[in-house]
Amino acid sequence: MATYVVGDVQGCSAELQDLLALVGFSAATDQLWLTGDLVNRGAQSLETLRFVRSLGRNAVSVLGNHDIHLLAVYYAEQPKNESDTFDALLSAPDCAELLDWLRHRPLLHRTGTDLLVHAGIPHVWSVTQAEGFAREVECALQGEHFRNLLRVVYGDCPRLWQGPGTPSGGPTGVPRLRAIINYLTRMRIINQAGRCDFDFKGPAATRPSGFKPWFDFRPPSETRILFGHWAALRACTGRRDIEALDGGCAWGAELIALRLEDGRRFSVPSRLRQRNTAA
């Protein structure tokens, strides 16, 4: 039995199957962990959700920002973006079942010393605090009034967990839930005070002054954090206790898996690259 952690699939279902074939994944005995953003950008969001859901308890996927966007579009009638690629999913006969399943995914998953999250854990939180904050959002998304949260989920503010005028335990109400979602699913760079710059998406070396990658502020830890979201990192943090796994498959790069038991990485090229070469 092995556990494979796969970076952002983003609707690249064919590449996911290529990767699982490469590692010899067994749906009966192995575990598949996914860093979130199962949908959007790629052309096979429907096939991706159907497959991951079919694995039952043998698959764990945390919510990413694209997953939450899809939920907001479907349940709260939020506007789609021109770049969205999940129309086939929205019109599928099993759409309601698939999105109800997606809505019940966690924001953070921890087993032993391994922690799975989409974007990261800010240094202003301990791992234990992050788990508790994630549960707050999960309860809201899985509760009776979940549409209320999805109607107000968008927004960069608050960018800071504990700023002037903020209670010592962080913001409250809707701003609190939005801040938790933004840290866990959208964060890339951050400053010493914990303020995020959500506009930056490039390589870490090109970040604006005063900001660093979120993981540069976290001290070494026995907890291994596994995350995706930031394709421009090229799946490299320079640390063994914080593993980046977004290979940018939806952008023509690669899909990456990490085997937890021995730390070995595997990858397959994006089929978008193959199509472009053939053209």
Side-chain angles (χ1 to χ4, degrees):
M1 175 179 173
T3 300
Y4 296 95
V5 188
V6 175
D8 302 26
V9 177
Q10 292 203 265
C12 297
S13 179
E15 289 89 337
L16 177 59
Q17 296 303 324
D18 291 342
L19 184 57
L20 296 182
L22 173 67
V23 302
F25 177 80
S26 169
T29 60
D30 295 333
Q31 286 276 313
L32 179 63
W33 289 14
L34 300 116
T35 61
D37 276 3
L38 295 179
V39 302
N40 219 3
R41 303 301 188 208
Q44 299 172 316
S45 294
L46 173 61
E47 292 83 356
T48 301
L49 286 191
R50 283 175 172 169
F51 172 70
V52 177
R53 181 172 179 256
S54 75
L55 295 176
R57 294 187 177 183
N58 281 40
V60 174
S61 183
V62 292
L63 287 170
N65 54 302
H66 283 279
D67 304 318
I68 292 173
H69 170 58
L70 170 61
L71 294 174
V73 168
Y74 180 76
Y75 286 113
E77 299 181 348
Q78 294 282 10
K80 292 192 299 180
N81 299 321
E82 290 185 3
S83 58
D84 290 342
T85 62
F86 43 61
D87 282 351
L89 169 57
L90 292 174
S91 61
D94 52 347
C95 177
E97 296 176 14
L98 291 170
L99 295 196
D100 184 68
W101 172 84
L102 185 65
R103 181 169 64 87
H104 286 80
R105 296 312 93 204
L107 260 77
L108 182 153
H109 173 78
R110 186 181 185 187
T111 297
T113 58
D114 289 314
L115 186 153
L116 181 70
V117 66
H118 181 61
I121 306 293
H123 65 284
V124 295
W125 298 348
S126 69
V127 167
T128 300
Q129 286 176 318
E131 289 183 283
F133 298 150
R135 298 294 93 83
E136 291 182 38
V137 174
E138 291 162 13
C139 287
L141 282 175
Q142 298 170 20
E144 180 181 358
H145 304 293
F146 69 93
R147 286 181 175 84
N148 293 340
L149 173 58
L150 292 173
R151 291 189 184 103
V152 296
V153 73
Y154 297 126
D156 292 345
C157 295
R159 293 174 181 261
L160 191 63
W161 183 250
Q162 191 170 324
T166 304
S168 59
T172 58
V174 168
R176 179 182 183 87
L177 297 178
R178 185 187 292 152
I180 295 168
I181 290 171
N182 284 344
Y183 275 121
L184 296 180
T185 72
R186 296 181 60 207
M187 176 179 61
R188 292 185 179 92
I189 58 173
I190 197 170
N191 69 10
Q192 181 65 52
R195 181 182 299 275
C196 291
D197 181 338
F198 295 118
D199 297 323
F200 180 79
K201 299 181 181 180
T206 66
R207 68 190 183 273
S209 176
F211 288 83
K212 294 182 180 182
W214 64 267
F215 47 83
D216 280 355
F217 285 108
R218 292 201 69 89
S221 171
E222 293 183 359
T223 299
R224 176 168 51 172
I225 299 176
L226 310 142
F227 74 103
H229 183 57
W230 194 352
L233 281 178
R234 298 184 179 273
C236 180
T237 65
R239 296 177 57 163
R240 296 298 299 272
D241 62 328
I242 301 180
E243 298 267 12
L245 292 166
D246 184 359
C249 187
W251 303 105
E254 60 185 354
L255 190 64
I256 297 171
L258 171 76
R259 188 162 57 201
L260 287 186
E261 287 72 19
D262 59 8
R264 183 179 174 187
R265 288 188 174 220
F266 307 83
S267 65
V268 295
S270 168
R271 293 197 181 193
L272 179 63
R273 183 196 306 175
Q274 297 169 357
R275 289 194 293 271
N276 290 343
T277 302

